[in-house]
Amino acid sequence: MRIAVVGAGPAGVYSAQELVDAGLSVDVFDKVPAPYGLVRYGVAPDHPKTKRIALALGRTLGNPAVRFFGNVAYGLDLDLRDLLACYHAVVFAVGADDDRLLDVAGEHLWGVGSAAQLVSWYNAHPHADDSFAHTVLAAREVAVVGAGNVALDVARMLVGGPHRLAASDVPERVLDLLARSRVTDVRVIARRGPAQAKFTVPELTELGKLDDVDVVVDPADLAGADDEADSRRARANVELLRGWAERPTGRAARRVHLSFRLRPVAVVGETAVAGLRLDRLGVPSTVPAQAVVRAIGYRGAPLPGVPFDEETGTVRNLGGRVVDATGTVLPRLYVAGWIKRGPSGVIGTNKADAAETVRALLADADGFPAPLKVGPATVPALLRGRGVRFVTWPGWLRLDAYEVALGRSGGRPRVSVDDLATMLAVTRAGDL
Amino acid sequence: MTFVVTSRCVGTKETSCMSVCPVDCIHDIGEQVVIDPVECVDCGACVDVCPVDAIVHEGEADDPSVVADAYRRFGLEAP
Ligand SMILES: Cc1cc2nc3c(=O)[nH]c(=O)nc-3n(C[C@H](O)[C@H](O)[C@H](O)COP(=O)(O)OP(=O)(O)OC[C@H]3O[C@@H](n4cnc5c(N)ncnc54)[C@H](O)[C@@H]3O)c2cc1C
Ligand code: SF4
Ligand code: SF4
C-alpha cells in the first residue's frame, strides 16, 4: 500500500515512520525544498540542540520505503483528486501557517506584524519577507504580545545580540541586521497571570542569562500567583519571576520587561506605531513602542477540498480521521500534528499524535480500494508534466552538504540557504 | 545538560515519556526507564507527560547521585 503524507514537519515525518514500520510505502510532500517544517523554520537558531531533532527526522526520510518530494505544494501543484488517484490514503500534516490577529484598532499600522514573520526571517525560510524585521530592529521599544515560548524566542533574538548566534546556521544577512539592532526594551505582554503563562521553565530561565540584559518584573504582578500555580511548571515559573521582581533594577544596556494581566486595546500612532494601549481590569495604560509583534498563536489554514473548522483553525477530525461538519468520516483522509489538534505542545507531542492517526489509518486499511491503477512512477511523471521542479531526498542531501560547506568557510557548523533559486539549483530540482 | 529519570519511575513505568520523545532517547531498562544524555535534546516533552513527575532537569535534581548514575549508565561522567 502507498500513502501520501503532505508536510515534512515533525508530524508528517513521525507519521511516515509509523507507516513504514507497518510495512507501507510513503511519499512525503512539502511546499518548501527543505524538510523538517518548524524544526528548521521555527525553532530558534540559538537552540542548536533542539535543531538536532532534524537528524532523527532525517533517518526516517532517508528510509528506502520513503520518498521525499520537496517544493511541491498541495493545492497548487497537486490536488485531492491527484492524491486519491495515486495513493490509498492521504495524511495531511501541514502545520499551522497563519497567525492569530490581536483584533484591535490600529492593527493595520506600519510596524505591527506577527512573530511568524520574524521567525521565518531569522530562520531563513525561502518565502520570508525581511521588511518587518527591518522595522522591528529599527525600533527602540518593541511590544511583544503573548505568553508562550515564541514570545520569549522573539524577545531573546531581539536583545540577545548576534554573538549568541555565532555558532548557529543563520545567514550573514540576518547576523548583520541583528548587529545593527537599535532595540533597548522589549515588553512581553501577557493577557493572563504569571501562573497561567505558557513559558517552559528552561526558556524562561534562559532569558535571565543573556549578557547585558535585565529582566524586569513588577512585584505587584505576582500577587496571588503562588496560589494559582497548580503545576510544577507554573510554580517554577512564578519562582523565577519572583527572583527578578525582588532584584533591584540593574544597569544593563537592554531590558526585557515581563508584564501580566494586560489586555491590548489598541495600537496607537498616526501612520506608524507609537505605542500600545492596554487595559488591566478597567484601568487603562499605554506603553511606548515603535513596533508591535503578535505572538498569540499560530492558526491552521484551510486546505482545498478538506473540511475546516474556522473556530479552532484545524481540519475537522476525530482522532485523526477527517470528518465533515456532520461528523461523517471522509474515507482515506487523515490529519496529524498542528493542523489536527491546533498549535500546542512540543515537537515530541506530535509523535504520539501521529501514532494515533496512523493507528486509525491502519484500522481502516481493509476498506481502502484494492490495487491503485497507477504505479510509483506516476506522481513524478505527473509533476514533471506540470513543470513542477520537485526536490528529491538525494537533492536535499546535496543542499545539506552545501550548507555545511558554506558554514565551514565561515567557521560555523552550517549556514542556511534561503534563496529559492539557489535551493533549487543546488538540489538539481527537476532533473532526474 | 540533560533530563534525568528519578526512582519515582520504578513500579509506575508506563512509557508515556517514550511515546513523546522526539529523538527516541528514552530506553526501558526493566525496573525503570532511562534517558540517554548524549541524544537528549533537552526539549522537556517527557517531563510534561510523566504522571508521577519522575523526570527532572539535571540542574533541579535533589540528589546529585541520580545525575551521576544517569550519566554513568551510558559510560559518561556527569559534567
Ligand atoms: C516559532 C516556533 C518555535 C518553536 N520552538 C519549539 C522548540 O524549541 N521546541 C519544541 O519542542 N517545539 C517548538 N515549537 C513547536 C513545534 O515546532 C511544533 O510542535 C511542530 O513543528 C508541529 O509539527 P507539524 O508537523 O504539525 O507542523 P510544521 O512543523 O509546521 O510542519 C508542517 C509542514 O507542512 C508544510 N506544508 C504546509 N502547507 C503545505 C502544503 N499546502 N503543501 C505541502 N506542504 C505544506 C510546511 O512547509 C511544513 O514543512 C515551536 C513552534 C514555533 C512556531
Ligand atoms: S527532554 Fe526531550 S529529548 Fe530529552 S528525553 Fe525528554 S523527551 Fe527526549
Ligand atoms: S512517564 Fe514517568 S513513570 Fe512513565 S516511564 Fe516515563 S518516567 Fe517512568
Side-chain angles (χ1 to χ4, degrees):
Chain A
M1 250 193 306
R2 225 167 26 246
I3 312 294
V5 172
V6 183
V13 176
Y14 291 134
S15 299
Q17 185 62 50
E18 298 279 342
L19 291 163
V20 168
D21 288 346
L24 311 188
S25 302
V26 185
D27 285 353
V28 181
F29 299 90
D30 204 290
K31 66 179 178 186
V32 291
Y36 309 137
L38 289 169
V39 174
R40 182 172 160 105
Y41 292 120
V43 170
D46 57 346
H47 287 166
K49 226 179 163 187
T50 313
K51 294 269 187 197
R52 268 181 26 202
I53 293 175
L55 297 176
L57 301 180
R59 284 196 282 273
T60 298
L61 291 174
N63 184 307
V66 177
R67 294 190 299 182
F68 175 66
F69 292 89
N71 199 38
V72 178
Y74 173 80
L76 211 64
D77 304 317
L78 289 173
D79 63 18
L80 195 55
R81 265 190 43 213
D82 301 325
L83 293 180
L84 288 176
C86 299
Y87 299 95
H88 290 91
V90 185
V91 179
F92 291 102
V94 293
D97 276 349
D98 285 0
D99 83 308
R100 276 175 207 283
L101 297 180
L102 295 174
D103 205 13
V104 299
E107 191 155 16
H108 61 277
L109 286 171
W110 180 256
V112 184
S114 68
Q117 284 170 280
L118 294 177
V119 169
S120 306
W121 163 72
Y122 63 61
N123 274 313
H125 193 288
H127 304 164
D129 168 359
D130 292 8
S131 58
F132 185 53
H134 281 273
T135 309
V136 173
L137 289 160
R140 293 206 176 277
E141 294 146 306
V142 180
V144 178
V145 182
N149 281 348
V150 176
L152 297 185
D153 283 349
V154 166
R156 213 172 56 245
M157 290 298 290
L158 294 179
V159 299
H163 62 280
R164 301 180 59 256
L165 300 171
S168 78
D169 58 4
V170 308
E172 290 300 328
R173 206 161 41 75
V174 171
L175 291 180
D176 288 348
L177 190 52
L178 285 172
R180 285 184 279 133
S181 168
R182 300 178 63 205
V183 178
T184 57
D185 290 83
V186 175
R187 293 192 172 80
V188 177
I189 299 189
R191 189 180 277 241
R192 303 210 284 156
Q196 288 83 33
K198 289 185 180 144
F199 310 133
T200 59
V201 183
E203 283 250 354
L204 194 59
T205 308
E206 195 179 358
L207 201 60
K209 295 189 176 149
L210 300 177
D211 294 337
D212 212 12
V213 173
D214 281 328
V215 182
V216 184
V217 177
D218 180 353
D221 273 358
L222 295 170
D226 290 306
D227 296 337
E228 291 173 20
D230 55 3
S231 68
R232 206 160 54 144
R233 173 202 287 193
R235 281 190 293 278
N237 280 347
V238 170
E239 200 179 312
L240 277 166
L241 293 166
R242 174 149 301 120
W244 288 316
E246 286 173 352
R247 214 167 49 184
T249 310
R251 295 169 178 281
R254 293 173 303 278
R255 283 153 298 279
V256 176
H257 310 253
L258 301 173
S259 36
F260 297 90
R261 298 194 186 85
L262 292 167
R263 187 170 60 87
V265 185
V267 182
V268 291
E270 293 291 325
T271 52
V273 174
L276 183 64
R277 190 171 310 136
L278 301 162
D279 172 273
R280 173 181 275 145
L281 296 169
V283 182
S285 61
T286 301
V287 292
Q290 297 83 51
V292 173
V293 183
R294 296 186 289 266
I296 51 175
Y298 284 57
R299 192 186 144 78
L303 291 163
V306 184
F308 190 71
D309 185 342
E310 284 293 343
E311 199 127 320
T312 55
T314 57
V315 166
R316 285 182 195 278
N317 75 94
L318 286 174
R321 290 183 178 96
V322 175
V323 298
D324 67 13
T326 67
T328 309
V329 171
L330 302 186
R332 300 162 66 205
L333 300 184
Y334 300 84
V335 282
W338 274 14
I339 193 63
K340 169 186 174 186
R341 64 170 202 281
S344 66
V346 285
I347 291 162
T349 316
N350 300 294
K351 201 171 91 178
D353 180 296
E356 179 195 52
T357 296
V358 173
R359 270 198 305 276
L361 185 153
L362 295 172
D364 300 344
D366 283 346
F368 293 166
L372 294 167
K373 294 190 190 69
V374 300
T378 307
V379 165
L382 187 76
L383 291 171
R384 249 180 250 123
R386 290 178 184 172
V388 179
R389 296 179 64 194
F390 59 87
V391 175
T392 61
W393 188 248
W396 154 253
L397 293 179
R398 273 181 222 121
L399 180 57
D400 189 39
Y402 181 88
E403 292 189 338
V404 171
L406 211 58
R408 200 174 301 126
S409 62
R412 302 205 275 147
R414 70 186 298 139
V415 172
S416 296
V417 176
D418 59 354
D419 172 57
L420 193 56
T422 310
M423 294 177 98
L424 295 181
V426 172
T427 54
R428 292 190 221 142
D431 22 299
L432 257 183
Chain B
M1 295 295 262
T2 182
F3 284 82
V4 292
V5 185
T6 64
S7 58
R8 241 179 293 191
C9 171
V10 176
T12 338
K13 198 182 69 162
E14 43 68 83
T15 67
S16 335
C17 57
M18 293 170 77
S19 70
V20 300
C21 174
V23 293
D24 288 328
C25 73
I26 308 181
H27 305 284
D28 188 343
I29 56 161
E31 77 277 13
Q32 69 166 83
V33 302
V34 296
I35 293 174
D36 181 337
V38 177
E39 291 296 314
C40 171
V41 297
D42 259 359
C43 71
C46 53
V47 178
D48 289 343
V49 297
C50 176
V52 295
D53 285 351
I55 305 178
V56 296
H57 196 257
E58 67 177 278
E60 295 167 5
D62 299 331
D63 177 359
S65 74
V66 172
V67 179
D69 286 349
Y71 275 91
R72 201 168 310 123
R73 206 171 276 117
F74 289 86
L76 302 162
E77 285 290 319

